[in-house]
Amino acid sequence: MRKFLNDPRATVREMLEGLADLSPGLALLAEEGVILRAGIPAFAERREVAVISGGGAGHEPAHAGYVGPGLLHAAVAGDVFTSPPVDAVLAAIRAVAGPPGALLIVKNYTGDRLNFGLAAELARAEGIACEVAVVADDVALAGTVEPARRRGIAGTVLVHKVAGAAAAAGLGLEAVAAEARAAAAALGSMGVALGACTVPAAGRPGFDLPEGEMELGLGIHGEAGVARLPLAPARDIAATLVDRILAEMAWPAGRPVALLVNGLGGTPPMELALMAREALAVLRARGVTVARAWCGTLLSALEMPGCSFSILALDDALLARLDAPASAPAWPGGGMIPEARATIAPAEAPPHPFTGTADPAIRDAVMAVATALEGAEARLTALDAATGDGDLGLSLARGAVALRALPNGAFADAPTALTAMAGTLRRAIAGSSGPFYATALLRAARALPAQPAPADWAAALEAAAEAISGLGGARPGDRTMLDALHPAALAFRAALPGGGAAALAAAARAAEAGAAATAAMRPRLGRASYLGDRALGHTDAGAAAIAAWMAALEEGVSRR
């Protein structure tokens, strides 16, 4: 288990203390795991129904992250995935409830219902009016349990918002409870996981999930789902979740909805945004209008990789509650979305300048470079993954495809070809390699006449190396692509008396030796420099790429 912990038994309290340390509008109840709004007035002066929620820890930012104006008045945290004890819930009620009373929003788990329910009874015995609204939004168990016994999962966050807005509007306890229950009844959720989470007290994942499989219809306490299926593309997972929710809830046709795409703790924002894209596409394809939408990790299951969809059928009253002002550390905002994705067409590129007839020798040389980059993709990927981010092989293979797509006129003469290659590689190759290659090629093109001699090619190769050094600041010995290109330029110049073919052969050998030498160099630039001595023993991927295409050029020339 790798987690940032002190004592696992103190984790929840320390987490709440950290949240209180960071949030000026929140306070921590001294003896209980309760976060509440700071500056609560005296009992008799409280004019709002208090809205309280909570449950086991491990769902952060829920529930304490939703304490604030227009949302919750207090949140109660138990141990990880364990309902808070009755006395903690009762302490929260006493701390924030006044004469208008308190509404407890409870996810439909046995422990939560028992502890929150008993706390409500004890509060009533003390003269504090209490109502309980139970959220049972998980449709995954349809056909297994009756609707009243479904679990409460991420849609609970939307119920917090509705109830908090109703309380802030000055409604009485019965009316606030009625609105919360109506929202819960109009809500359906379902989740999918790509792996398990690790409860600190257990120290190991809750279940094993083989590669290439997913758990469909899981809860939020680290448990497995209702079915284990082969991992599918995001669009198919989204369609499954949406269709199951729509089929189970069976709302009247034409009702707009609010959508919540929720991460379970281990899913990056990139993937959540992609899932939101797919969820919106599926809902719109089914003729459902999405009036509001949110995407993010709003109610997690520790570090579980996965997500859930929650869909709330709206009427005007519910929409007004969602739109009402609210402020809390984790509340994501208004949820307004456009009716359709806005896209703006890029400015048209100028007409293609390449109109001449191709020189077969130049075209063949460029195609040889493309073939070399494609053939080296796997090796370059492995080398780059060892000390960088692993994208160089794919990026250069993309560049090879772009080179093959150049029109014949791009190969009319050497300067034209290098200029065309610079433009297409600049657009095709991601990361730092694109700018480096484009700058080097442009500088080399300026050094060449239309019909270059071998000495002109030497000057062009030297200009390319200088351009890369000037752009990135690298010098020979820094363990970069320059450690292959610079010795190649020197070798080419030195071998010129033997002719152009001999010079190119010498350059190719020098590039290969230079690339191999990088394995013994301590990196001083680029991502590899962050690794220090850990990069030793690995050939620099950029230098290996230079050696690969130079070898291909040399072989092509020798065959002619």
Side-chain angles (χ1 to χ4, degrees):
M1 180 175 68
R2 294 184 179 93
K3 293 180 180 290
F4 294 112
L5 300 175
N6 295 312
D7 180 352
R9 294 167 295 183
T11 297
V12 174
R13 179 69 185 190
E14 292 173 352
M15 175 268 293
L16 295 175
E17 290 172 354
L19 180 60
D21 289 343
L22 294 168
S23 307
L26 301 185
L28 179 60
L29 208 56
E31 302 297 331
E32 300 288 353
V34 178
I35 287 284
L36 62 156
R37 297 187 197 176
I40 295 287
F43 181 89
E45 298 172 359
R46 297 171 195 165
R47 297 290 181 262
E48 275 186 19
V49 170
V51 182
I52 302 169
S53 187
H59 302 307
E60 289 70 36
H63 303 80
Y66 303 113
V67 175
L71 281 154
L72 301 179
H73 292 75
V76 194
D79 289 334
V80 174
F81 296 163
T82 302
S83 175
V86 172
D87 286 355
V89 180
L90 183 58
I93 297 170
R94 290 170 177 158
V96 298
L103 171 67
L104 310 185
I105 298 176
V106 181
K107 296 185 300 304
N108 198 26
Y109 288 92
T110 301
D112 287 343
R113 292 194 66 157
L114 291 176
N115 286 284
F116 278 83
L118 178 52
E121 284 297 327
L122 294 171
R124 293 180 192 118
E126 295 179 8
I128 303 173
C130 274
E131 291 286 341
V132 176
V134 176
V135 182
D137 56 323
D138 184 9
V139 306
L141 299 176
T144 303
V145 301
E146 61 189 60
R149 293 178 56 200
R150 292 173 180 160
R151 299 172 291 203
I153 54 175
T156 306
V157 175
L158 298 180
V159 180
H160 291 167
K161 181 65 181 69
V162 170
L171 272 64
L173 177 57
E174 290 187 3
V176 172
E179 290 204 17
R181 292 166 185 149
L187 178 67
S189 301
M190 189 169 177
V192 60
L194 307 182
C197 63
T198 299
V199 177
R204 58 182 181 275
F207 58 86
D208 294 320
L209 187 61
E211 191 73 25
E213 296 188 354
M214 63 183 183
E215 288 284 344
L216 182 68
L218 71 160
I220 53 171
H221 290 156
E223 67 270 51
V226 298
R228 181 167 291 186
L229 302 175
L231 180 62
R235 66 177 62 88
D236 296 337
I237 298 172
T240 296
L241 296 179
V242 168
D243 288 342
R244 290 281 291 271
I245 295 170
L246 294 180
E248 182 59 24
M249 300 308 293
W251 296 298
R255 289 189 72 175
V257 303
L259 169 69
L260 173 61
V261 177
N262 174 64
L264 294 176
T267 303
M270 177 180 70
E271 295 175 36
L272 291 178
L274 190 153
M275 289 298 288
R277 169 188 184 270
E278 301 300 340
L280 288 168
V282 173
L283 284 165
R284 288 165 175 165
R286 306 295 189 264
V288 179
T289 299
V290 182
R292 300 290 183 270
W294 296 267
C295 176
T297 299
L298 282 83
L299 193 151
S300 67
L302 291 173
E303 79 284 15
M304 179 176 282
C307 74
S308 65
F309 293 173
S310 297
I311 301 175
L312 173 64
L314 298 174
D315 55 24
D316 290 343
L318 276 175
L319 184 58
R321 296 302 186 213
L322 293 179
D323 287 345
S327 176
W331 177 244
M336 297 288 292
I337 61 171
E339 291 184 7
R341 183 185 307 128
T343 57
I344 300 174
E348 291 187 10
H352 215 296
F354 308 119
T355 57
T357 302
D359 181 327
I362 295 175
R363 182 176 55 198
D364 290 349
V366 175
M367 293 304 104
V369 168
T371 299
L373 295 179
E374 290 166 339
E377 179 182 357
R379 178 171 179 256
L380 296 178
T381 296
L383 289 174
D384 194 34
T387 59
D389 53 12
D391 67 341
L392 183 65
L394 177 61
S395 292
L396 294 183
R398 228 183 253 124
V401 172
L403 292 177
R404 294 188 185 284
L406 284 170
N408 278 336
F411 309 113
D413 55 58
T416 299
L418 295 184
T419 301
M421 292 171 69
T424 199
L425 293 182
R426 182 191 78 232
R427 291 184 289 270
I429 300 178
S432 59
S433 295
F436 279 134
Y437 274 105
T439 302
L441 288 163
L442 287 172
R443 192 76 60 85
R446 291 203 296 271
L448 288 177
Q451 299 297 324
D456 298 317
W457 281 109
L461 198 55
E462 290 162 352
E466 290 171 3
I468 289 174
S469 179
L471 181 63
R475 297 290 182 270
D478 285 348
R479 195 186 179 278
T480 70
M481 63 194 299
L482 199 62
D483 287 301
L485 189 59
H486 182 262
L490 295 178
F492 191 97
R493 172 73 70 180
L496 276 178
L504 185 56
R509 290 193 299 271
E512 180 64 32
T518 61
M521 296 178 185
R522 194 178 192 279
R524 288 193 285 269
L525 285 176
R527 280 193 175 91
S529 65
Y530 309 148
L531 298 179
D533 290 341
R534 294 174 66 184
L536 295 175
H538 299 284
T539 300
D540 179 72
I546 297 282
W549 60 256
M550 275 211 157
L553 279 178
E554 189 273 330
E555 183 179 354
V557 168
S558 66
R559 287 177 178 174
R560 295 183 69 87

